[in-house]
């Protein structure tokens, strides 16, 4: 290929985004390969669960900047090269197009879709090649994105975070993950989260007849109420009464197994209050995150699957501990996978619900993985992928266009291949990111506000960070660092319906939306439409002509996602600290009976013909399932 | 879950959380009881060692009595380029210091001696033996000793030249489980020894057999015939290597086009390892060893090739049972 002394490598200036699982391996391999000017950005700090694969980090580094520690560690065996570290978010305005232009190639080792899209846009704007990567467990892939030559990162649809119809969560769970989502997003939030937040627990779990006011009171803890009594009241309400109520709707259970109401007296003896955790016993640990229902009940192994009775005890003990040890946080809590007590509560609640619906119970370890969207990660896959990134980066630097490949690392060989190279696709001509094709927005211009368009379309769907909106030459809105008097005008505009804006937006209007940081400009053709289907089109608007994320599950109803740290969270800061996410499923040989390489066997959408590169005459056409991002695959 | 092991400690559960989610707690327990031996600490082996130390094997023993040279440093991130720390230490000793640091829960040892000097009893102490940078007869001998051990010792060879690499696997009589469509099924594979695999006639292979297989055998044979140590060839040897290729192809009734001259030229001219390929091969090998220890997942049977020039990572099954096909 190219030796370490080759000027192509030695003189290259390389930007790495991410110093996690792939990043550590990549920085090491780049340094060994002779790269001597490497810049690395990562906003994260080191955690214990990183140490099994992010080999540049030690126990003593926990809490420190990943980018900086990785730099220092590599300089120990390659002291003469230049590594510049940035403990920062790649979306910071400092990392603008001019910054990106300084580099010969950008290498991504990122953990979230949002940051990936952002870097893709900056690379397109700066006209710098991007080598993109991701791993999950034994699977991984490396792709090359060169403006005008290959497809950009956003030319192909990226799957949206998995969401579930509300009624599946509130009434008809059939998988353990449904119980987890219920426990985490509904019950936990209801009891410990912001009381002002909408919560479907009271909307759907009870009959429409009872007013929501009434139901709210049930979850309220009365000051004079014994905490154990309160816990049992909640228990009986959500696992007993609510199930009875649901059972009364015969229509629902025609083709389903009927759930079984569970009351606390059935699973716990009456003298339970006395034997269950002792108030005087557990005051040894008073700092928030170390409080644990498991330890106060003497249960140790997180791999054990608890009985219904054990789950019930954990649930009540966890609830009691929240109200006695962490009272101040109640009302402000949101689920955090590193919060032991929260994980215990959610595990127990999900298991009791699972028992009620005849779904197999799971251990705390497993439940934590599902609830926390924890990504499976091993060092070996990251090492392989990092090696492949460097090989691809060298081809890009040598401008060896015909040799560019996307490479998939498979768990089970396909046609004897464990590492499968595939020729990159050409740019998608209708991609709003890398071509200039406009998108179409159907919307009721007499009802929808500018704010709805900004939040639901421009930020959530088009992935812009700091948008500016123009109607012909009139500026309607601009985000970011602007003058105060303008802020007032724009804020006022946000609250106006489209047709009543200073320069009215109606059917036939073309809006121009621009993000200066991403140097992305996009035209939106507005089409007025009076009515929208509340169930199918809950946003009240429909965007077309863009690469629609492949929703993992049809959402006929309003939907609930499993957690706030989804891939399109507003900033990378809010995504989880785990690295290595975002794998595209490997290509799959046609008619191959073994489906094990394919994450979502039931999701055959977006199939694409791929061609395996071969030096032999007999080329084989393959079916590729490109939408199987496994990041949010939780079942 | 198998009942043989004690539970993982809280420390292990926290450290190995993400990988336990991949291969399960019972596999993690088996890993923590496994003893691995490596011989020949070049770049690929260093990558492999890093991977299995991070994975949490019970112990790792290193053998490489050589002293540090420029070439050793070039692809080895385990040795700091600081002559002050060498202090007459061997490569294995220097690597040992770094590896211990990666994971305090893994014991790392150094043994001294030439591969041929170790007896069956020595190899029996290990569950996995990986050898690199040695002659084909040394590999055969070590493989035979592992096969004579009282328990199964998984045997691997690994070598990288220029931008390509080869792994050989001998798991002898191997039973494992794998998940297929939600069900766990038991599988059984029989592996040939290194010697038996190499004696499978070339004409028995399928038409698309990796060209690297032939090229590696030609160079190996050349080195052996010339009395060279592994990797001790240069561009000056090319004409003799090509001559040997012709002879071998004729003897094996193989069309010479299966062993392109350009490929041999590449492998002979540049014997130094290419670090990205070390990472790829060391990663795949690490994965295979983890599979073999845990008894989970389809292992490679029995050769693996990666070449950065075409990007393919190919498995080839070269055994008698496969010959007649």
């Amino acid at each position: 290929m190219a030796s370490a002394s080759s000027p192509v490598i030695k003189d290259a200036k390389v930007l790495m985004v991410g110093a996690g699982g792939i990043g550590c391996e990549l920085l090491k391999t780049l340094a060994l390969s002779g790269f001597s000017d490497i810049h690395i950005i990562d906003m994260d700090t080191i955690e214990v669960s990183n140490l099994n694969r992010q080999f540049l980090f030690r126990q003593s580094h926990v809490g420190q900047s990943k980018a900086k520690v990785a730099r220092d560690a590599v300089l120990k065996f390659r002291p003469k090269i230049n590594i510049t570290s940035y403990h920062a978010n790649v979306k910071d305005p400092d990392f603008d197009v001019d910054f990106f232009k300084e580099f010969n190639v950008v290498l991504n080792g990122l953990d979230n879709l949002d940051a990936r899209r952002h870097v893709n846009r900056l690379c397109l704007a700066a006209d710098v090649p991007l080598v993109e990567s991701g791993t999950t467990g034994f699977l991984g892939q490396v792709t090359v994105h060169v403006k005008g030559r290959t497809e950009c990162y956003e030319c192909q649809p990226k799957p949206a975070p998995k969401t579930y119809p509300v009624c599946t969560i509130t009434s008809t769970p059939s998988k353990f993950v449904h119980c987890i989502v219920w426990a985490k997003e509904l019950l936990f939030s209801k009891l410990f989260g912001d009381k002002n937040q909408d919560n479907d627990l009271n909307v759907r779990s009870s009959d429409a007849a009872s007013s929501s006011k009434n139901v709210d009171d049930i979850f309220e803890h009365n000051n004079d109420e014994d905490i154990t009594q309160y816990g049992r009241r909640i228990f009986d309400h959500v696992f007993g009464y609510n199930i009875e109520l649901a059972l009364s709707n015969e229509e629902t259970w025609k083709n389903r197994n009927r759930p079984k109401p569970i009351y606390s007296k059935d699973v716990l003896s009456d003298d339970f209050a006395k034997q269950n955790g002792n108030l005087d016993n557990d005051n040894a640990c008073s700092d928030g995150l170390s409080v644990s229902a498991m330890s106060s009940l003497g249960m140790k192994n997180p791999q054990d699957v608890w009985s219904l009775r054990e789950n019930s005890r954990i649930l009540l003990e966890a609830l009691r501990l929240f109200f006695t040890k962490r009272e101040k946080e109640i009302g402000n809590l949101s689920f955090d996978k590193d919060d032991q007590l929260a994980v215990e509560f959610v595990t127990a609640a999900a298991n009791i619900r699972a028992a009620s619906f005849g779904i197999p119970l799971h251990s705390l370890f497993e439940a934590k993985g599902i609830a926390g969207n924890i990504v499976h990660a091993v060092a070996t896959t990251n090492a392989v992928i990092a090696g492949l990134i460097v090989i691809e980066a060298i081809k890009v630097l040598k401008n060896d266009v015909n040799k560019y490949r996307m490479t998939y690392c498979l768990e089970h060989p396909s046609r004897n291949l464990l590492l499968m190279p595939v020729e990159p696709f050409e740019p998608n001509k209708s991609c709003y990111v890398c071509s200039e094709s406009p998108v179409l927005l159907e919307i009721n211009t007499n009802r929808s506000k500018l704010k709805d368009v900004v939040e639901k379309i421009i930020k959530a769907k088009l992935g812009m960070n700091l948008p500016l909106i123009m109607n012909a030459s009139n500026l309607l809105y601009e985000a970011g660092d602007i003058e105060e008097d303008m802020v007032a005008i724009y804020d006022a505009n946000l609250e106006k319906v489209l047709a009543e804006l200073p320069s009215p937006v109606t059917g036939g209007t073309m809006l121009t939306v621009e993000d200066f940081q991403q140097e992305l400009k996009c035209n939106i053709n507005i089409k007025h439409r009076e009515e929208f289907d509340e169930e199918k089109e809950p946003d009240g608007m429909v965007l077309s002509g863009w690469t629609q994320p492949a929703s993992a599950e049809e959402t006929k109803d309003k939907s609930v996602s499993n957690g706030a740290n989804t891939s399109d969270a507003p900033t990378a800061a809010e995504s989880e600290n785990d690295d290595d996410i975002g794998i595209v499923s490997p290509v799959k040989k046609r008619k191959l009976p073994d489906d094990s390489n394919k994450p979502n066997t039931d999701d055959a959408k977006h199939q694409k013909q791929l061609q395996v590169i071969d030096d032999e005459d007999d080329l084989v056409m393959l079916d590729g399932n490109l939408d199987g991002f496994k990041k949010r695959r939780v079942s | 879950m198998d009942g043989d092991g004690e539970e993982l400690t809280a420390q292990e559960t926290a450290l190995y959380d993400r990988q336990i989610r991949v291969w399960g707690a019972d596999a993690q327990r088996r890993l923590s009881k496994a003893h691995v031996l490596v011989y020949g600490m070049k770049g690929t082996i260093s990558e492999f060692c890093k991977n299995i130390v991070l994975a949490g094997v019970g112990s790792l023993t290193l053998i490489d009595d050589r002293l540090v040279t420029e070439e050793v440093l070039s692809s080895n991130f385990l040795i700091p380029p600081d002559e002050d720390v060498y202090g007459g230490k061997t490569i294995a000793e220097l690597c040992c210091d770094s590896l211990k640091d990666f994971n305090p829960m893994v014991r790392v040892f150094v043994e001294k001696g030439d591969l041929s000097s170790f007896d069956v009893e020595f190899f029996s102490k290990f569950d996995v033996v990986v050898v690199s940078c040695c002659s084909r007869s040394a590999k055969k001998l070590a493989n035979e000793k592992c096969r004579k051990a009282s328990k199964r010792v998984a045997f691997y060879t690994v070598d990288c030249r220029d931008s390509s690499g080869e792994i050989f696997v001998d798991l002898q009589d191997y039973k494992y489980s794998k998940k297929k469509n939600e069900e766990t099924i038991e599988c059984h594979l029989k592996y040939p020894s290194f010697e038996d695999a190499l004696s499978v006639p070339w004409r028995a292979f399928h038409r698309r057999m990796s060209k690297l297989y032939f090229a590696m055998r030609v160079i190996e044979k050349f080195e052996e015939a010339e009395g060279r140590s592994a990797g001790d060839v240069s561009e000056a040897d090319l004409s003799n290597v090509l001559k040997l290729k012709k002879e071998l192809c004729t003897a094996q009734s193989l069309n010479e086009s299966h062993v392109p001259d350009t490929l041999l030229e590449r492998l002979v001219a540049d014997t130094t390892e290419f670090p990205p390929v070390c990472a790829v091969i060391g990663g795949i090998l690490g994965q295979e060893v983890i599979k073999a220890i845990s008894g989970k997942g389809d292992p490679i049977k029995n050769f693996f090739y990666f070449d950065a020039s075409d990007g393919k990572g190919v498995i080839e099954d070269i055994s008698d049972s496969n010959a007649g096909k």
Side-chain angles (χ1 to χ4, degrees):
Chain A
M1 293 259 338
S3 80
S5 53
S6 155
V8 156
I9 292 176
K10 215 164 46 80
D11 301 337
K13 188 168 174 179
V14 176
L15 177 64
M16 279 181 59
V17 191
I22 293 173
C24 280
E25 294 288 339
L26 182 56
L27 187 59
K28 172 258 304 165
T29 305
L30 283 173
L32 288 174
S33 304
F35 285 86
S36 17
D37 190 2
I38 308 166
H39 292 239
I40 181 163
I41 305 176
D42 197 312
M43 66 188 298
D44 283 342
T45 54
I46 296 158
E47 293 179 36
V48 171
S49 62
N50 300 148
L51 301 177
N52 79 317
R53 63 197 185 285
Q54 300 178 16
F55 77 104
L56 299 173
F57 309 146
R58 304 285 171 268
Q59 186 74 43
S60 61
H61 297 135
V62 170
Q64 297 183 40
S65 155
K66 286 187 175 180
K68 184 179 181 307
V69 174
R71 168 188 182 270
D72 295 348
V74 168
L75 286 179
K76 279 192 183 141
F77 63 85
R78 281 293 180 277
K80 287 177 187 153
I81 67 171
N82 293 311
I83 304 176
T84 311
S85 65
Y86 306 85
H87 183 201
N89 188 338
V90 70
K91 292 180 81 175
D92 287 351
D94 289 349
F95 305 119
D96 56 10
V97 174
D98 285 336
F99 175 84
F100 273 72
K101 275 183 179 157
E102 290 173 41
F103 298 94
N104 301 102
V105 65
V106 175
L107 312 176
N108 269 358
L110 275 165
D111 64 351
N112 66 88
L113 185 58
D114 191 50
R116 284 186 165 101
R117 292 174 77 180
H118 186 79
V119 173
N120 179 50
R121 289 157 189 212
L122 281 161
C123 285
L124 286 166
D127 200 5
V128 179
L130 169 66
V131 181
E132 171 63 66
S133 68
T135 68
T136 297
F138 300 133
L139 303 175
Q141 96 277 331
V142 174
T143 53
V144 193
H145 308 281
V146 181
K147 190 177 180 177
R149 295 219 170 249
T150 70
E151 62 178 11
C152 85
Y153 178 68
E154 295 174 85
C155 279
Q156 295 297 325
K158 299 290 174 279
K162 189 155 189 161
T163 56
Y164 305 93
V166 167
C167 61
T168 304
I169 301 303
T170 57
S171 316
T172 55
S174 57
K175 292 175 180 165
F176 189 66
V177 63
H178 301 152
C179 301
I180 286 282
V181 173
W182 176 86
K184 187 175 77 154
E185 302 298 329
L186 301 184
L187 187 60
F188 184 88
S189 304
K190 184 81 214 161
L191 293 173
F192 310 118
D194 184 351
K195 301 273 185 266
N196 299 320
Q197 285 269 313
D198 282 348
N199 189 311
D200 287 299
L201 195 63
N202 42 348
V203 179
R204 302 287 179 113
S205 63
S206 61
D207 210 57
S210 64
S211 83
S212 67
K213 186 79 194 148
N214 250 333
V215 181
D216 266 346
D217 293 341
I218 286 167
F219 292 97
E220 215 48 55
H221 175 231
N222 310 319
N223 286 339
D224 53 346
E225 189 179 18
D226 175 75
I227 196 68
T228 310
Q229 285 309 314
Y230 169 67
R232 295 188 74 144
R233 189 161 62 75
I234 297 296
F235 188 112
D236 291 341
H237 179 76
V238 298
F239 299 116
Y241 171 76
N242 275 358
I243 300 289
E244 302 260 20
L245 209 61
L247 280 169
S248 65
N249 186 353
E250 289 297 333
E251 198 60 24
T252 313
W253 311 108
K254 264 188 176 164
N255 299 307
R256 289 188 175 91
N257 290 328
R258 299 170 66 87
K260 178 175 80 191
I262 298 173
Y263 287 95
S264 60
K265 66 175 164 31
D266 302 332
V267 281
L268 299 164
S269 52
D270 277 341
D271 57 344
F272 162 78
K274 287 166 211 152
Q275 40 171 290
N276 195 25
N278 190 320
L279 273 174
D280 308 322
N281 233 342
D282 46 25
N283 48 16
C285 50
S286 51
D287 83 282
L289 293 182
S290 66
V291 176
S292 157
M294 276 175 79
S295 58
S296 86
L297 295 177
M299 290 155 77
K300 287 205 183 75
N301 190 351
Q303 310 270 351
D304 287 341
V305 178
W306 304 324
S307 65
L308 177 57
R309 180 180 145 79
E310 284 169 323
N311 276 298
S312 305
R313 292 182 66 199
I314 290 279
L315 182 89
L316 293 176
E317 179 62 5
L319 187 112
R320 188 184 72 76
L321 288 171
F322 269 119
F323 275 89
T324 55
K325 301 290 177 193
R326 297 174 59 180
E327 212 175 344
K328 287 198 193 89
E329 298 166 65
I330 291 174
N332 300 313
L333 279 164
S334 56
F335 178 81
D336 172 359
K337 69 180 185 324
D338 298 316
D339 179 342
Q340 173 71 16
L341 194 58
V343 172
E344 291 169 342
F345 179 87
V346 164
T347 302
N351 273 329
I352 298 167
R353 188 165 171 84
S356 180
F357 283 86
I359 296 166
L361 309 196
H362 286 66
S363 71
L364 177 116
F365 178 83
E366 293 164 317
K368 179 180 171 179
I370 300 167
N373 285 316
I374 293 178
V375 171
H376 303 187
V378 289
T380 49
T381 315
N382 290 335
V384 171
I385 288 300
L388 295 172
I389 293 173
V390 177
I391 290 167
E392 224 48 55
I394 293 172
K395 290 186 211 166
V396 166
L397 292 170
K398 287 161 77 177
N399 203 17
D400 218 344
V401 182
N402 295 328
K403 290 197 167 168
Y404 294 171
R405 295 291 179 268
M406 319 193 263
T407 308
Y408 297 90
C409 180
L410 311 182
E411 181 173 3
H412 306 286
S414 171
R415 203 168 138 266
N416 278 357
L417 290 177
L418 214 45
L419 300 174
M420 179 185 275
V422 172
E423 202 164 325
F425 296 120
E426 293 192 343
N428 175 357
K429 290 192 180 67
S430 61
C431 173
Y432 75 93
V433 180
C434 72
S435 77
E436 276 166 22
S437 69
V439 295
L440 176 71
L441 180 64
E442 293 175 61
I443 190 165
N444 186 329
T445 53
N446 298 322
R447 214 160 52 203
S448 293
K449 292 176 179 172
L450 184 63
K451 187 174 74 182
D452 302 327
V453 177
V454 171
E455 295 303 325
K456 292 175 181 168
I457 300 295
I458 297 171
K459 287 188 176 171
K461 292 209 161 67
L462 299 181
M464 289 194 184
N465 207 15
L466 300 169
L468 171 149
I469 306 169
M470 308 267 290
N471 182 359
S473 59
N474 301 307
L475 194 54
L476 294 177
Y477 176 75
E478 186 178 2
D481 200 13
I482 47 172
E483 286 161 32
E484 248 174 65
D485 49 339
M486 294 310 288
V487 171
I489 295 174
Y490 295 146
D491 282 352
N493 280 352
L494 284 179
E495 294 304 325
K496 289 185 177 135
V497 296
L498 297 179
E500 287 162 18
L501 282 160
S503 66
V505 174
T506 54
T509 303
M510 186 174 82
L511 288 177
T512 302
V513 193
E514 202 164 355
D515 185 312
F516 287 119
Q517 193 194 359
Q518 298 177 345
E519 281 198 13
L520 176 63
K521 190 171 167 181
C522 178
N523 291 326
I524 305 178
N525 290 318
I526 302 292
K527 183 179 171 191
H528 175 78
R529 191 171 125 192
E530 204 58 39
E531 293 300 327
F532 290 87
D533 184 326
E534 256 178 62
E535 301 238 307
K536 285 180 185 154
E537 300 154 341
D539 286 343
M541 50 188 99
V542 176
L543 185 68
S544 50
W546 67 301
T547 47
Q548 171 92 36
S551 179
E553 203 153 293
E554 284 300 313
T555 48
K556 295 189 187 75
D557 200 341
K558 202 172 134 197
S559 58
V560 190
S561 77
N562 181 15
N565 50 0
T566 50
S567 53
D568 59 359
T571 69
E574 286 175 29
S575 85
E576 62 189 348
N577 282 320
D578 277 297
D579 46 8
D580 329 330
I581 322 180
I583 175 155
V584 174
S585 90
V587 287
K588 207 168 84 36
K589 192 179 173 184
R590 188 194 303 232
K591 287 176 194 151
L592 194 71
D594 182 4
D595 267 342
S596 42
N597 276 322
K598 192 178 160 190
N600 275 323
T601 47
D602 55 344
D603 190 1
K605 291 178 292 186
H606 309 286
Q607 291 270 329
K608 201 156 182 177
Q609 294 279 299
L610 298 185
Q611 198 168 48
V612 166
I613 300 314
D614 208 305
D615 49 2
E616 295 281 23
D617 39 357
D618 46 350
L619 293 167
V620 173
M621 298 300 283
L622 295 180
D623 279 336
N625 177 335
L626 277 171
D627 64 335
F629 268 62
K630 289 189 66 177
K631 177 177 178 186
R632 297 299 161 201
R633 192 174 149 254
V634 282
S635 54
Chain B
M1 238 169 252
D2 67 335
D4 62 85
E6 57 271 26
E7 283 175 14
L8 297 167
T9 65
Q11 190 193 7
E12 287 171 311
T13 308
L15 176 65
Y16 301 133
D17 183 281
R18 297 302 185 270
Q19 66 198 39
I20 291 172
R21 294 179 190 281
V22 177
W23 51 60
D26 54 332
Q28 190 63 49
R29 275 195 298 275
R30 284 185 205 176
L31 274 174
S32 70
K33 287 181 204 148
H35 305 288
V36 180
L37 172 73
V38 300
Y39 181 90
M41 298 292 305
K42 284 178 77 173
T44 311
I45 292 278
S46 300
E47 287 279 352
F48 166 74
C49 289
K50 170 207 71 192
N51 293 335
I52 57 158
V53 165
L54 290 174
V57 292
S59 79
L60 171 65
T61 302
L62 318 173
I63 309 177
D64 195 327
D65 301 345
R66 294 175 301 156
L67 297 174
V68 177
T69 60
E70 271 301 310
E71 201 222 321
V72 171
L73 283 179
S74 73
S75 56
N76 194 326
F77 57 94
L78 298 175
I79 307 174
D82 175 3
E83 290 182 27
D84 296 342
V85 302
Y86 300 164
K89 283 185 176 175
T90 64
I91 292 174
E93 286 167 331
L94 287 165
C95 292
C96 177
D97 293 342
S98 295
L99 286 167
K100 276 180 181 166
D101 209 27
F102 284 174
N103 186 349
M105 283 189 267
V106 176
R107 286 162 295 154
V108 188
F109 305 108
V110 172
E111 285 279 350
K112 291 195 173 182
D114 186 74
L115 189 60
S116 60
S117 68
F118 300 105
D119 57 12
V120 173
E121 199 191 339
F122 176 80
F123 288 114
S124 308
K125 290 191 286 190
F126 301 95
D127 302 287
V128 174
V129 170
V130 181
V131 306
S132 183
C133 335
C134 57
S135 71
R136 120 166 159 166
S137 55
K139 287 175 183 170
K140 280 182 187 171
L141 192 62
N143 187 199
E144 286 318 310
K145 285 173 183 168
C146 288
R147 286 192 150 241
K148 282 181 187 144
S150 48
K151 62 157 202 259
R152 189 171 57 84
V153 179
F155 178 83
Y156 299 82
T157 76
V158 61
D159 282 294
C160 287
R161 284 170 193 257
D162 187 53
S163 55
S164 47
E166 173 188 69
I167 297 172
F168 164 77
V169 184
D170 176 15
L171 300 180
Q172 301 172 36
D173 204 14
Y174 182 64
K175 292 191 174 79
Y176 66 102
S177 61
K178 69 170 173 183
K179 282 227 162 75
K180 198 167 186 178
N181 305 332
E182 309 284 303
E183 270 176 81
T184 304
I185 52 173
E186 301 299 317
C187 307
H188 185 191
L189 288 174
K190 275 198 154 104
Y191 284 76
S193 67
F194 189 58
E195 180 155 24
D196 289 346
L198 261 50
S199 63
V200 176
W202 291 2
R203 61 180 176 278
F205 296 151
H206 61 93
R207 195 174 58 80
R208 299 162 54 87
M209 171 63 73
S210 172
K211 296 171 171 59
L212 276 168
Y213 175 79
F214 305 113
M216 294 297 264
R217 302 291 81 77
V218 171
I219 294 172
E220 207 173 61
K221 192 117 187 172
F222 175 82
E223 288 171 349
E224 194 171 60
E226 296 276 309
R228 309 271 185 93
S229 57
D232 184 13
V233 285
S234 68
E235 210 149 7
D237 298 315
L238 186 60
S239 58
N240 286 331
V241 170
L242 293 179
K243 216 170 98 192
L244 180 63
K245 169 197 118 171
K246 214 174 169 66
E247 286 168 28
L248 287 174
C249 286
T250 309
Q252 296 268 12
S253 321
L254 182 81
N255 187 322
E256 276 187 57
S257 66
H258 286 273
V259 204
D261 289 357
T262 49
L263 176 60
L264 281 169
E265 187 179 346
R266 193 152 65 79
L267 300 182
V268 168
D270 195 356
T271 57
T272 54
E273 295 168 297
F274 182 48
V277 174
C278 296
V280 171
I281 294 283
I284 298 283
L285 180 61
Q287 200 44 61
E288 285 305 307
V289 165
I290 290 163
K291 280 186 203 164
I293 293 170
S294 61
K296 278 188 176 174
D298 291 315
I300 287 173
K301 180 171 185 280
N302 50 348
F303 285 85
F304 176 79
Y305 291 95
F306 176 71
D307 194 339
S309 66
D310 65 8
K312 281 193 279 188
V314 195
I315 298 170
E316 297 289 2
D317 186 350
I318 301 176
S319 49
D320 268 335
S321 59
N322 213 40
K325 285 183 192 170

